[in-house]
Amino acid sequence: MAHQLFIAGQWRDAEGGATFEVENPATGETLATVADASVADGRAALDAAVAAQADWARTAPRDRGEILRRAFEIITDRADELAEQMTAEMGKPVSESKAEIAYGAEFFRWFAEESVRIAGRHSVAPNGATRLLTLKQPVGPCLMITPWNFPLAMGTRKIGPAIAAGCTMVVKPASLTPLTMLSLGEILTEAGLPDGVLNIVTTKSTGKVMEPIIRDPRLRKLTFTGSTEVGRSLIEQAAEGVLRVSMELGGNAPFLVFEDADLEKAVDGAMLAKMRNIGEACTAANRFIVHESLAEEFATRFAKRMEQAEVGPLVEAKQRDKVAELVDDAKQHGATVLTGGEVPDGAGYHYPPTVLTGVPREARVWCEEIFGPVAPIFTFSDDDEALRMANDTEYGLVAYAFTQSYSRAIKVYEGLETGMVGINQGVVSNPAAPFGGMKASGFGREGGDEGIEEYLETKYVGLAP
């Protein structure tokens, strides 16, 4: 497997042979050594994307779609191999890695089908004097910065629509988990992607290497998945070139359990919403807001299920330390630990599934994204209070609500200030649906019919008859 930079269809060392180490979070030991790109390497990657753009934009939509379809099939065939690699570099159980492989591959299949459905329109001006023609064209070279928590899927849902739309790209995977993206580069090459369409730059110096690319006038789009803090900085940089920007940023997802909820289904949903990816997901339920009449029973059932959960390590020591700090802060504010709550002995960056009750809203877990297997439970007394609590955050990515009332469900999903809502289900992510948030959780959508629009410009032509 390649551990080098991928630029203009060639695997090559970083300038000066610079490298960095990738850890196995289960043991803390070095898993691989990967090329550490310089500013010049980043510029070379953009050069390659720019040089390939015109020819790639002229490629037939069906041909672009067939490349994605072949890549989907290769990923599916190699799911076991890719899952083992993902688990080694990221830490999630192999079963969850396999689920991500299947989910991530679906973005390639979805956008393979969307590539041939890019369409404009033709109409007559109201006064009849002109014909109005609109067409869609690729936005141009893109920079994609992907996170560590879903090493394949966060790449495929950006790369898929870019390929389908006819855009070239530079991809910068997270330095904690770069190996899966490098394997994806090999797969796309095998599937027939032309040289220069996809360029992969691995580096530990993300800001230093990426900022010159963002400020280069040849770049036309920036897409980022990661923290709101970093996203704000990138948006400022992108403003100089007036780039097309899409941002999928932090979350603080509320999980609402109303008094008429099916409690068993609510607990099932809570396990999915909290424990997918060991809680290291922007869509993870962060605040469990439960009606006071159900809170004690819900907490007891939930804690029992959490004790039985299969989990791997968190991605690095820094992340585990943050989770432990948040739990300790909640305990200092009077929260009760039903299960978990202590850093275990032994190698790796493990933290046990944890349920907290009696958590006051002064605790940091109310307003900070946990990104770990910790579930703080809060209570409410009526529907209006539940909605106020749910919306009491700068974030607005996703929310979950469990109720058997049709009218209540409508009131809740219309009132929630989030880009996505799950009603009686703990997972909302689907390649056929638009993924994205509002407020400080970002803007733009990935997946669904909307996903390819992020990579297309609309051009209007006035035709004299």
Side-chain angles (χ1 to χ4, degrees):
M1 191 197 84
H3 291 166
Q4 299 167 289
L5 309 178
F6 186 56
I7 298 175
Q10 302 296 317
W11 295 99
R12 51 180 265 188
D13 292 335
E15 184 180 46
T19 61
F20 65 89
E21 294 181 345
V22 178
E23 276 189 350
N24 181 335
T27 64
E29 298 174 351
T30 298
L31 179 65
T33 301
V34 174
D36 191 359
S38 67
V39 171
D41 292 322
R43 186 178 301 112
L46 180 59
D47 289 344
V50 170
Q53 179 59 55
D55 285 344
W56 181 239
R58 287 192 292 265
T59 303
R62 178 68 71 192
D63 293 341
R64 300 197 298 262
E66 288 300 308
I67 291 170
L68 287 172
R69 178 69 190 197
R70 286 193 294 271
F72 161 78
E73 292 169 352
I74 295 170
I75 292 170
T76 302
D77 289 343
R78 297 179 189 169
D80 290 345
E81 172 189 337
L82 290 167
E84 290 177 7
Q85 179 186 65
M86 185 182 296
T87 291
E89 69 171 339
M90 189 268 158
K92 69 182 76 178
V94 172
S95 60
E96 287 207 37
S97 292
K98 288 182 178 179
E100 182 185 337
I101 300 300
Y103 169 60
E106 279 296 325
F107 284 102
F108 278 3
R109 178 156 67 170
W110 174 263
F111 286 109
E113 296 162 348
E114 289 295 290
S115 64
V116 296
R117 295 181 174 84
I118 300 169
R121 62 185 175 88
H122 179 277
S123 60
V124 178
N127 64 3
T130 306
R131 302 300 179 263
L132 312 179
L133 174 67
T134 61
L135 60 150
K136 303 285 187 175
Q137 295 180 314
V139 69
C142 306
L143 175 61
M144 304 172 173
I145 303 176
T146 62
W148 51 261
N149 55 342
F150 291 93
L152 183 87
M154 299 302 96
T156 57
R157 78 181 188 190
K158 296 180 189 297
I159 294 169
I163 289 175
C167 296
T168 61
M169 68 214 83
V170 176
V171 179
K172 207 298 288 184
S175 58
L176 290 171
T177 58
L179 304 180
T180 299
M181 181 58 69
L182 294 173
S183 292
L184 187 59
E186 292 179 324
I187 287 169
L188 281 163
T189 299
E190 185 177 339
L193 192 68
D195 294 349
V197 175
L198 171 70
N199 304 275
I200 303 174
V201 176
T202 54
T203 181
K204 288 281 284 186
S205 304
T206 301
K208 178 181 178 182
V209 176
M210 293 298 106
E211 184 170 353
I213 298 177
I214 295 170
R215 297 189 185 279
D216 192 303
R218 299 174 298 169
L219 187 72
R220 296 314 316 140
K221 177 176 172 62
L222 168 65
T223 175
F224 169 74
T225 297
S227 72
T228 296
E229 179 184 9
V230 174
R232 287 187 172 114
S233 175
L234 294 175
I235 292 167
E236 289 181 2
Q237 295 173 28
E240 180 179 316
V242 196
L243 299 182
R244 284 281 293 275
V245 177
S246 52
M247 293 274 152
E248 196 267 282
L249 307 176
N252 187 7
F255 187 101
L256 304 171
V257 182
F258 292 90
E259 69 264 35
D260 66 337
D262 182 316
L263 204 53
E264 194 59 31
K265 288 183 178 178
V267 172
D268 288 344
M271 288 300 298
L272 289 171
K274 176 75 263 183
M275 296 305 292
R276 183 184 180 213
N277 216 54
I278 328 170
E280 293 178 314
C282 54
T283 55
N286 211 62
R287 297 168 296 148
F288 290 82
I289 302 171
V290 185
H291 190 269
E292 57 193 11
S293 66
L294 298 178
E296 183 175 353
E297 186 177 0
F298 174 84
T300 300
R301 293 192 191 189
F302 190 20
K304 184 176 180 180
R305 291 284 300 278
M306 288 281 273
E307 289 172 354
Q308 301 167 353
E310 177 190 5
V311 296
L314 298 179
V315 73
E316 61 175 340
K318 179 181 177 182
Q319 182 60 30
R320 184 182 65 175
D321 291 346
K322 178 194 173 184
V323 171
E325 286 177 12
L326 289 173
V327 172
D328 290 344
D329 174 78
K331 289 191 289 187
Q332 290 169 12
H333 279 86
T336 298
V337 178
L338 291 191
T339 187
E342 298 290 341
V343 175
D345 296 328
Y349 310 124
H350 298 270
Y351 197 87
T354 298
V355 176
L356 305 172
T357 59
V359 187
R361 288 164 67 174
E362 292 75 24
R364 288 169 56 193
V365 289
W366 175 256
C367 58
E368 294 186 30
E369 190 171 24
I370 299 169
F371 241 64
V374 176
I377 297 176
F378 307 85
T379 61
F380 69 91
S381 58
D382 61 57
D383 292 6
D384 290 338
E385 182 185 15
L387 278 173
R388 285 195 301 271
M389 291 175 70
N391 291 331
D392 182 24
T393 174
E394 68 172 326
Y395 300 104
L397 184 62
V398 63
Y400 307 92
F402 280 73
T403 176
Q404 297 185 76
S405 166
Y406 179 75
S407 59
R408 173 180 282 141
I410 294 174
K411 176 183 177 181
V412 168
Y413 71 64
E414 289 183 349
L416 286 165
E417 297 171 354
T418 59
M420 301 175 289
V421 180
I423 299 295
N424 295 325
Q425 61 182 54
V427 175
V428 296
S429 302
N430 191 304
F435 187 104
M438 56 180 67
K439 303 197 306 191
S441 290
F443 46 83
R445 294 296 182 266
E446 296 181 321
D449 297 339
E450 296 83 355
I452 200 167
E453 291 295 328
E454 300 288 339
Y455 297 86
L456 295 169
E457 295 280 18
T458 299
K459 180 179 287 184
Y460 152 67
V461 180
L463 297 171

